[in-house]
Amino acid sequence: MFENKQPLTSLSELGEFGLINHLNDKITLINKSTIKGIGDDAAVLEYSANRQILVSSDLLVEGIHFDLSYTPLKHLGYKAAIVNFSDIYAMNGKPEHITVNIAMSNRFSLEAVDELYEGILLACKNYEVDLVGGDTSSSKSGLFISITVIGQAGADKITYRNGAKSNDLICVSGDLGGAYMGLQLLEREKQVFLANPEMQPEIDNYDYILERQLKPEAREDIIKLLEKENIKPTSMIDISDGLASELIHICTSSNVGCTIYDDKIPMDHTTIAFANEINMDPVTATLNGGEDYELLFTIDIKDYNKIKEIKEISVIGHITDKSEGCNIICGDNKELVLLKAQGWNAF
Ligand code: ADP
Ligand code: MG
């Protein structure tokens, strides 16, 4: 019999990133082809000089990452693919292949699987990615989808999380907080429906945030724009867990601090309107909400002129010395508040 005298450590004590660091500590990389292992949006591998391969995986679990009572399967398939493409763009690369692993219970029909794959294949078509394999299993509790994406980029193009330096400008694409507000709206309407199935949903005027939650896009257009303007970001990450958490990732990896300004964070008016309706500060939704799949990147200040007229890119602050920490300047009285990573944590 196993006898365990050691007290066990709960995963919630460690948190998701604590667990990843714990696993990473056990790993020794032995192949020369491994350029970067754990710790960025994708691993970087090199099999031939100057052409590097990018690999990233994401796992979506029913009841944890999605709720099938309000998520159409086609949208779920689309999103499962997009979140993977986003990690390759966050390395300044191009996604080209995916493999798809699914596990589902016997309550699933062929028609349901077709719908899921319709979404995955639509995303592949839109982003010119080939589906090249996967694995299929049954499951005793709910649906699992895990996608691995493979992409590529020239070695000199790849943008890591660790290149930000003092005085670099901090930029984000698009607008933030919408996906989280969309989730809050869907959850609210679910509760209303459960209480009274006859009630009509109150989702008029909120199409934008619903789309942000149910049908996100990956910012390939921003990667192309940066290339056209001849800008290589000094660091980059995609916003899957909320602006605060991603900024802290960049600052920790780059050994720097940052200052951002709450009034510079881009938000759509629909996001603000819904946040007001549920008495939530919309800035909190941008910092801690997540799932926006926008790109967060830093650029050298000399590139400012090239991006200042681009509507889809906002400068929200700058990189500082590490000793200053990660801060946000808030409100009319310009209060300095320490940023905390309170975004999505698997545990
Ligand atoms: P992202 O939010 O960009 O998808 P994650 O936060 O999921 O990134 O992962 C951060 C890093 O940890 C990545 O390099 C990823 O490959 C690695 N990672 C996550 N989970 C595991 C795991 N179970 N085993 C090994 N590496 C992992
Ligand atoms: Mg990422």
Side-chain angles (χ1 to χ4, degrees), residues 98-208:
I98 55 168
T99 59
V100 180
N101 305 317
I102 51 171
M104 64 218 140
S105 65
N106 53 13
R107 77 186 155 93
F108 260 71
S109 62
L110 173 64
E111 287 72 16
V113 177
D114 278 346
E115 218 185 292
L116 181 71
Y117 269 76
E118 224 181 280
I120 297 174
L121 291 171
L122 179 62
C124 286
K125 181 167 168 255
N126 290 352
Y127 290 82
E128 297 178 322
V129 170
D130 294 329
L131 197 168
V132 294
D135 199 11
T136 308
S137 168
S138 61
S139 142
K140 284 194 175 161
S141 63
L143 172 66
F144 295 73
I145 312 171
S146 170
I147 296 188
T148 295
V149 61
I150 298 132
Q152 63 157 323
D156 53 337
K157 284 267 189 290
I158 294 186
T159 308
Y160 293 91
R161 293 178 180 178
N162 67 5
K165 50 186 185 3
S166 272
N167 298 322
D168 281 356
L169 299 175
I170 302 171
C171 306
V172 287
S173 64
D175 58 78
L176 303 180
Y180 186 67
M181 287 298 95
L183 179 64
Q184 297 307 307
L185 173 59
L186 288 163
E187 287 285 345
R188 182 182 80 179
E189 294 309 311
K190 181 183 175 181
Q191 295 314 321
V192 170
F193 177 82
L194 289 175
N196 180 0
E198 304 291 302
M199 285 277 277
Q200 285 300 310
E202 286 181 46
I203 55 173
D204 287 356
N205 308 321
Y206 287 135
D207 287 359
Y208 181 72

Side-chain angles (χ1 to χ4, degrees), residues 110-327:
L110 173 64
E111 287 72 16
V113 177
D114 278 346
E115 218 185 292
L116 181 71
Y117 269 76
E118 224 181 280
I120 297 174
L121 291 171
L122 179 62
C124 286
K125 181 167 168 255
N126 290 352
Y127 290 82
E128 297 178 322
V129 170
D130 294 329
L131 197 168
V132 294
D135 199 11
T136 308
S137 168
S138 61
S139 142
K140 284 194 175 161
S141 63
L143 172 66
F144 295 73
I145 312 171
S146 170
I147 296 188
T148 295
V149 61
I150 298 132
Q152 63 157 323
D156 53 337
K157 284 267 189 290
I158 294 186
T159 308
Y160 293 91
R161 293 178 180 178
N162 67 5
K165 50 186 185 3
S166 272
N167 298 322
D168 281 356
L169 299 175
I170 302 171
C171 306
V172 287
S173 64
D175 58 78
L176 303 180
Y180 186 67
M181 287 298 95
L183 179 64
Q184 297 307 307
L185 173 59
L186 288 163
E187 287 285 345
R188 182 182 80 179
E189 294 309 311
K190 181 183 175 181
Q191 295 314 321
V192 170
F193 177 82
L194 289 175
N196 180 0
E198 304 291 302
M199 285 277 277
Q200 285 300 310
E202 286 181 46
I203 55 173
D204 287 356
N205 308 321
Y206 287 135
D207 287 359
Y208 181 72
I209 57 174
L210 289 178
E211 190 160 311
R212 294 291 285 169
Q213 171 58 222
L214 294 174
K215 192 173 178 286
E217 298 291 347
R219 298 310 302 256
E220 178 187 29
D221 58 331
I222 298 293
I223 298 305
K224 287 186 168 160
L225 237 162
L226 292 173
E227 184 167 31
K228 188 173 137 236
E229 296 293 338
N230 216 354
I231 299 171
K232 185 185 171 199
T234 51
S235 69
M236 185 150 60
I237 188 168
D238 68 328
I239 304 181
S240 50
D241 300 338
L243 179 60
S245 166
E246 313 301 1
L247 256 176
I248 291 169
H249 280 318
I250 283 195
C251 289
T252 310
S253 300
S254 301
N255 236 330
V256 292
C258 69
T259 299
I260 60 165
Y261 299 83
D262 68 347
D263 57 358
K264 299 212 184 301
I265 298 174
M267 289 180 279
D268 187 83
H269 63 91
T270 320
T271 303
I272 299 170
F274 187 71
N276 289 338
E277 193 179 317
I278 62 168
N279 289 320
M280 184 174 180
D281 178 1
V283 172
T284 306
T286 68
L287 292 175
N288 304 325
E291 293 198 291
D292 288 312
Y293 298 103
E294 294 295 342
L295 293 169
L296 169 68
F297 55 96
T298 54
I299 59 169
D300 191 290
I301 202 153
K302 76 170 166 26
D303 287 327
Y304 175 64
N305 277 334
K306 299 188 198 163
I307 58 132
K308 68 171 197 264
E309 302 298 339
I310 301 176
K311 220 178 83 238
E312 283 294 298
I313 297 177
S314 310
V315 177
I316 60 167
H318 58 273
I319 297 292
T320 61
D321 191 77
K322 186 187 169 114
S323 60
E324 294 185 44
C326 296
N327 303 290

